[in-house]
Amino acid sequence: MKAPRIVQSYWSKAYQNTPNSGWAFRESHYMSWALSCLLLKQFYDEIELVTDSEGADLLINKLHLPYMSCLTILDKLKNENPAIWALGKIAAYEVQQESFIHVDGDIYIWKPFPKRIEEAGIVAQNIEKNYSMGINLLDEMRDKNFTFPFHLSLVDIFASFFIINPKLGAKVRFFCEEQSLLFVQPSNQSPQTASDGAVCLAKNS
């Protein structure tokens, strides 16, 4: 079976929203991306970077990382709130035309992914149950009158909250069908996010 495509996404505006992109030193951030990409390249030939023009300049022109292809479609997010850091990942998922594994720049592999991951219908990094930050976020969204997709409204999501952390990847069809499921406020209100920048989509009608 063909080795899976690897996708990494880099939204510069989101990384610039925190000091040193969340690292103690800016150089550590750069070294992490280099190490992640170079280790992936040892096992996978097809690695795509989805980024913006600034990210391409950093990772391709300056760090010379060996991506097979680079898409700068994240330039379209230049006017979006950088606190909604997941938008870059969602946009990267959206343009994929075949199955892929999305790998963050702080994931380092020392051997290929197990076959059960490479061949899975969908892969997530971890499940967080009753995570306090997530529960607080949902409480705030409820207080601000966000609405939820029907399949989430059927259960008491405020009592038992799960996060599936989709840092790794999935079959394309899943994201084509589900990436537009985000929570939104009533249509007569201006778009608004919760305090930490979280946002969810509503199913397109």
Side-chain angles (χ1 to χ4, degrees):
M1 177 176 289
K2 178 184 175 182
R5 294 176 62 254
I6 304 297
V7 174
Q8 293 196 296
S9 61
Y10 188 98
W11 183 23
S12 298
K13 189 173 180 179
Y15 281 113
Q16 293 165 358
N17 196 45
T18 56
N20 298 323
S21 303
W23 292 81
F25 304 98
R26 183 182 303 175
E27 293 81 0
S28 299
H29 172 63
Y30 300 157
M31 288 187 285
S32 176
W33 271 91
L35 179 61
S36 179
C37 178
L38 293 173
L39 287 173
L40 287 164
K41 193 65 176 179
Q42 291 185 6
F43 308 107
Y44 300 99
D45 293 328
E46 194 172 355
I47 307 178
E48 178 177 87
L49 174 64
V50 180
T51 185
D52 47 32
S53 297
E54 191 170 345
D57 184 55
L58 171 65
L59 300 178
I60 303 294
N61 297 337
K62 292 177 178 168
L63 296 183
H64 302 288
L65 297 183
Y67 291 102
M68 176 173 286
S69 59
C70 175
L71 303 177
T72 55
I73 63 162
L74 300 192
D75 283 334
K76 69 180 182 180
L77 301 180
K78 63 182 180 180
N79 295 322
E80 300 297 339
N81 183 353
I84 313 174
W85 53 266
L87 285 179
K89 299 178 190 292
I90 294 172
Y93 300 160
E94 186 179 26
V95 298
Q96 301 307 313
Q97 299 297 313
E98 57 183 286
S99 299
F100 66 99
I101 298 177
H102 181 278
V103 182
D104 279 358
D106 57 357
I107 290 180
Y108 323 112
I109 63 172
W110 311 107
K111 57 184 178 181
F113 292 114
K115 289 297 182 184
R116 63 184 177 83
I117 290 180
E118 291 187 347
E119 300 173 3
I122 182 170
V123 178
Q125 178 173 289
N126 62 287
I127 294 178
E128 296 171 344
K129 182 178 181 182
N130 294 329
Y131 181 44
S132 59
M133 182 176 179
I135 292 174
N136 293 337
L137 172 61
L138 283 173
D139 286 339
E140 181 181 350
M141 294 170 73
R142 178 182 57 186
D143 292 341
K144 290 183 176 180
N145 297 318
F146 281 74
T147 57
F148 298 88
F150 71 93
H151 59 283
L152 294 180
S153 301
L154 296 178
V155 296
D156 186 4
I157 59 176
F158 299 102
S160 182
F161 177 66
F162 288 82
I163 300 174
I164 298 179
N165 195 356
K167 287 190 175 179
L168 290 181
K171 301 296 185 183
V172 167
R173 187 175 67 180
F174 174 84
F175 286 110
C176 289
E177 294 174 350
E178 299 298 330
Q179 63 86 24
S180 62
L181 277 176
L182 296 176
F183 310 109
V184 293
Q185 291 183 286
S187 58
N188 62 341
Q189 298 184 22
S190 300
Q192 183 178 355
T193 60
S195 58
D196 73 342
V199 67
C200 300
L201 303 167
K203 189 82 169 180
N204 292 333
S205 57

